[in-house]
C-alpha cells in the first residue's frame, strides 16, 4: 500500500456548528495526518470552479450557494490509502445511507449539507490539492 495525499474540506454546515475539531479528530484517529490546513471563505467563482464537474447537475447552483454560505476548512491528509480511507471515514454522500459511526451519519444535516468533502481518486486529489495549496504549504 502506498502513502497518499487527499484533499479534505470541513463544509460550512460543520464549521457553523463548531464541529471542525470533532471531524479532524475522527480523521486523525483513522490514521490520517493533517499536512496542510487553512480556514477560508470561498467565493462563488471558486466554488463553481471546484465543483465544475457537477455544473450540469440540478443541485449545482444550490451546492455553490451552500459552499459559500460560511467558512470552510480545507486540509490535506496524508496516510496509507488516504483517498479511500478519508471517504470511508466520511461515509456515503447521503447521510441517511451512511454507515454508523461515519462523519456524515453522525454530523450531516442533509445530502447537500453533508459536513465533509473528500477527493474521489488520487488523480483528482492532486488537482484539488493544487487548487488550494502551494507546495510550500504542504508540511509532512
Ligand atoms: P464530495 O465531492 O463533497 O466529497 P461526494 O463525492 O460524496 O461528495 P458528489 O457526487 O461528488 O459526492 O457530490 C458533491 C457534493 O454535492 C456532495 O457532497 C453534496 O454536498 C452535493 N450533492 C450531491 N448530490 C446531491 C443531491 N442529490 N442533492 C443535493 N446536493 C447533492
Ligand atoms: Mg465528489
Amino acid at each position: 500500500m502506498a502513502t497518499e495525499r487527499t484533499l479534505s474540506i470541513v463544509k460550512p454546515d460543520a464549521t457553523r456548528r463548531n464541529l471542525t475539531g470533532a471531524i479532524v479528530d475522527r480523521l486523525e484517529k483513522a490514521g490520517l495526518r493533517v499536512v496542510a490546513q487553512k480556514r477560508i471563505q470561498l467565493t462563488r467563482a471558486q466554488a463553481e470552479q471546484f465543483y465544475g464537474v457537477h455544473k450540469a447537475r440540478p443541485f449545482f447552483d444550490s451546492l455553490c450557494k451552500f459552499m459559500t454560505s460560511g467558512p470552510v476548512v480545507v486540509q490535506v491528509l496524508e496516510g496509507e490509502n488516504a483517498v479511500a480511507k478519508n471517504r470511508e471515514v466520511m461515509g456515503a454522500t447521503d447521510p441517511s445511507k451512511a454507515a454508523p459511526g461515519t462523519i456524515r451519519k453522525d454530523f450531516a444535516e442533509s445530502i447537500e449539507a453533508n459536513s465533509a468533502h473528500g477527493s474521489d481518486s488520487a488523480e483528482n486529489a492532486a488537482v484539488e490539492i493544487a487548487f488550494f495549496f502551494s507546495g510550500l504549504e504542504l508540511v509532512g
Side-chain angles (χ1 to χ4, degrees):
M1 278 191 277
T3 298
E4 282 180 338
R5 285 176 171 174
T6 191
L7 186 87
S8 163
I9 304 179
V10 181
K11 293 185 178 183
D13 66 289
T15 61
R16 189 178 295 127
R17 288 175 290 149
N18 230 13
L19 292 169
T20 302
I23 288 172
V24 173
D25 184 54
R26 289 185 180 211
L27 297 167
E28 289 185 335
K29 287 208 167 94
L32 295 164
R33 177 173 296 274
V34 178
V35 298
Q37 189 181 56
K38 59 190 170 192
R39 182 177 176 96
I40 57 172
Q41 171 67 54
L42 286 175
T43 65
R44 173 78 192 197
Q46 288 165 340
E48 285 184 3
Q49 192 183 337
F50 182 74
Y51 278 120
V53 66
H54 295 309
K55 211 172 182 66
R57 308 283 281 276
F59 57 80
F60 180 71
D61 179 63
S62 178
L63 175 60
C64 291
K65 277 202 185 87
F66 163 63
M67 289 299 289
T68 57
S69 68
V72 295
V73 174
V74 293
Q75 52 194 1
V76 178
L77 306 175
E78 185 179 271
E80 292 280 303
N81 286 324
V83 171
K85 175 66 66 82
N86 182 32
R87 289 179 71 87
E88 184 187 315
V89 177
M90 285 195 303
T93 310
D94 181 348
S96 71
K97 297 186 180 127
T102 59
I103 289 169
R104 284 164 167 173
K105 181 68 172 185
D106 292 343
F107 299 134
E109 295 181 319
S110 67
I111 190 170
E112 177 179 83
N114 59 4
S115 302
H117 162 84
S119 309
D120 61 11
S121 67
E123 295 70 30
N124 285 338
V127 172
E128 293 180 358
I129 289 168
F131 184 77
F132 288 111
F133 294 97
S134 75
L136 278 175
E137 294 175 296
L138 305 175
V139 184

